[in-house]
Amino acid sequence: MAETKKTTKAALAPAAPQPEQKAVVALDWSVAGVTGFENVQARDLGIPFLIILQSGSPEVKKTHPKYEQAKIEGAVEGTVINTVTRKILHQPGEEPFEVIPLYWDKLYVEWKPRQGGSGGGGFVTVHRDELLLSKCRKNEKNQDVLPNGNTLVTTAYFYVLYKDPDETDVEKQLKQAIIGMSSTQLRASRQWLNISQSIKVAMPNGKKVTPPLFSHRYLLSSTPQNNDKGSWMGWKIEVREMLTDPTEADAVISEVRNAKEFAQLNAPVDSST
């Protein structure tokens, strides 16, 4: 007699949804008129940041209390990752990865300091008013401190399209992300802007103009940096080439509009900061 299989709760549980369903379905969901996602914003899905891991990052420091949850196989100091997908995009000393910068923005991010190095701190809000810096004092770490005791961190944001080296579909190789630069990396932000604004291209009438920020591809990598207060891994920025395909340029311009709208409606604060 065949053995009777016992029905368990696990067997009755719904199957985990797959990212892409290729089977033909009987219902045409495209005519529903509503999706249920109407109130979902980009922030609800998690904002993908590209960050450089440091020696003290929980992804690489084995004595960090969050190491077991945060560790990434193969990650070391100087590794560049996507904070949402947690994929490695660059390893120190290896080939740089390619990005197209879409839009630049600067915000003043207010943080509540952790009490005694423990809990209780964290993100408070963001400001656009640069005049707030005039109300700050410098502490022993050279940080800007507001009258309420919170720190104000000047942060530059590059909204970018980056080339995913693991994506085989050419049409899906470019992914959206944000690169936040604060503290010592504000220098890298200024360098990137200076490089971009120094580029000149000749128009048909012979006049030379500075093209848009998003007119060129750049190569990004991590590199050792230091000052009298310590050492770290920072950004290295190099120009690669100008976009020449009109179809690609049109697609990039569309992404620029999206990035600008997102920047104006959202505060892109990296939770790993």
Side-chain angles (χ1 to χ4, degrees), residues 144-165:
D144 292 305
V145 181
L146 290 162
N148 63 7
N150 293 340
T151 57
L152 194 65
V153 180
T154 302
T155 308
Y157 295 98
F158 282 90
Y159 296 74
V160 304
L161 294 175
Y162 73 92
K163 189 173 182 179
D164 186 344

Side-chain angles (χ1 to χ4, degrees), residues 204-267:
N205 61 4
K207 183 180 179 181
K208 291 187 176 181
V209 301
T210 299
L213 175 65
F214 48 85
S215 64
H216 283 66
R217 293 183 177 88
Y218 292 79
L219 296 176
L220 267 59
S221 57
S222 62
T223 185
Q225 297 179 352
N226 64 82
N227 59 21
D228 58 355
K229 296 183 179 180
S231 60
W232 63 92
M233 297 296 287
W235 291 105
K236 180 180 179 181
I237 299 118
E238 303 170 278
V239 181
R240 182 178 182 186
E241 62 186 3
M242 184 169 65
L243 305 183
T244 56
D245 183 344
T247 301
E248 181 183 25
D250 286 343
V252 168
I253 291 172
S254 177
E255 295 292 349
V256 172
R257 296 192 183 101
N258 292 337
K260 184 176 181 180
E261 181 180 358
F262 180 86
Q264 292 171 344
L265 295 177
N266 298 274

Side-chain angles (χ1 to χ4, degrees), residues 54 106-109 111 138-139 141-144 152-157 180-190 225 227 229 232-235 273:
Q54 304 297 331
K106 184 163 69 173
L107 295 173
Y108 303 91
V109 187
W111 297 88
K138 293 288 187 180
N139 63 11
K141 297 180 180 180
N142 202 38
Q143 296 172 319
D144 292 305
L152 194 65
V153 180
T154 302
T155 308
Y157 295 98
M181 297 179 175
S182 60
S183 187
T184 56
Q185 290 310 296
L186 283 173
R187 180 180 178 183
S189 170
R190 291 190 292 269
Q225 297 179 352
N227 59 21
K229 296 183 179 180
W232 63 92
M233 297 296 287
W235 291 105
T273 301

Side-chain angles (χ1 to χ4, degrees), residues 1-219:
M1 182 175 177
E3 182 180 352
T4 303
K5 292 185 177 181
K6 182 181 291 185
T7 301
T8 65
K9 289 184 178 180
L12 295 174
Q18 300 300 311
E20 183 178 358
Q21 297 287 352
K22 296 184 178 180
V24 177
V25 295
L27 297 177
D28 183 0
W29 293 109
S30 65
V31 299
V34 293
T35 66
F37 301 120
E38 284 79 8
N39 292 327
V40 177
Q41 302 296 320
R43 289 183 61 80
D44 300 318
L45 302 175
I47 301 174
F49 276 82
L50 306 186
I51 65 170
I52 301 175
L53 299 180
Q54 304 297 331
S55 60
S57 298
E59 292 85 356
V60 299
K61 186 176 182 180
K62 293 183 178 180
T63 57
H64 195 287
K66 295 183 180 179
Y67 174 73
E68 287 302 320
Q69 296 79 24
K71 64 181 178 181
I72 297 175
E73 188 69 30
V76 297
E77 180 184 10
T79 297
V80 176
I81 67 166
N82 179 314
T83 59
V84 170
T85 65
R86 296 176 60 76
K87 288 179 63 174
I88 293 176
L89 302 180
H90 168 74
Q91 292 284 37
E94 296 185 2
E95 290 295 312
F97 66 102
E98 183 181 300
V99 305
I100 300 174
L102 303 175
Y103 186 70
W104 178 88
D105 197 14
K106 184 163 69 173
L107 295 173
Y108 303 91
V109 187
E110 183 176 346
W111 297 88
K112 184 178 180 180
R114 289 179 173 83
Q115 301 300 321
S118 58
F123 169 71
V124 178
T125 188
V126 296
H127 307 273
R128 288 192 174 275
D129 187 4
E130 188 175 8
L131 293 177
L132 277 177
L133 289 174
S134 64
K135 300 179 181 179
C136 294
R137 61 174 177 83
K138 293 288 187 180
N139 63 11
E140 67 282 356
K141 297 180 180 180
N142 202 38
Q143 296 172 319
D144 292 305
V145 181
L146 290 162
N148 63 7
N150 293 340
T151 57
L152 194 65
V153 180
T154 302
T155 308
Y157 295 98
F158 282 90
Y159 296 74
V160 304
L161 294 175
Y162 73 92
K163 189 173 182 179
D164 186 344
D166 297 328
E167 180 58 68
T168 56
D169 188 337
V170 176
E171 294 184 356
K172 297 180 180 180
Q173 280 184 341
L174 292 181
K175 312 288 188 181
Q176 298 177 349
I178 300 175
I179 298 174
M181 297 179 175
S182 60
S183 187
T184 56
Q185 290 310 296
L186 283 173
R187 180 180 178 183
S189 170
R190 291 190 292 269
Q191 180 189 19
W192 199 344
L193 292 176
N194 284 327
I195 291 173
S196 301
Q197 293 194 332
S198 68
I199 296 173
K200 301 295 179 184
V201 296
M203 296 290 98
N205 61 4
K207 183 180 179 181
K208 291 187 176 181
V209 301
T210 299
L213 175 65
F214 48 85
S215 64
H216 283 66
R217 293 183 177 88
Y218 292 79
L219 296 176

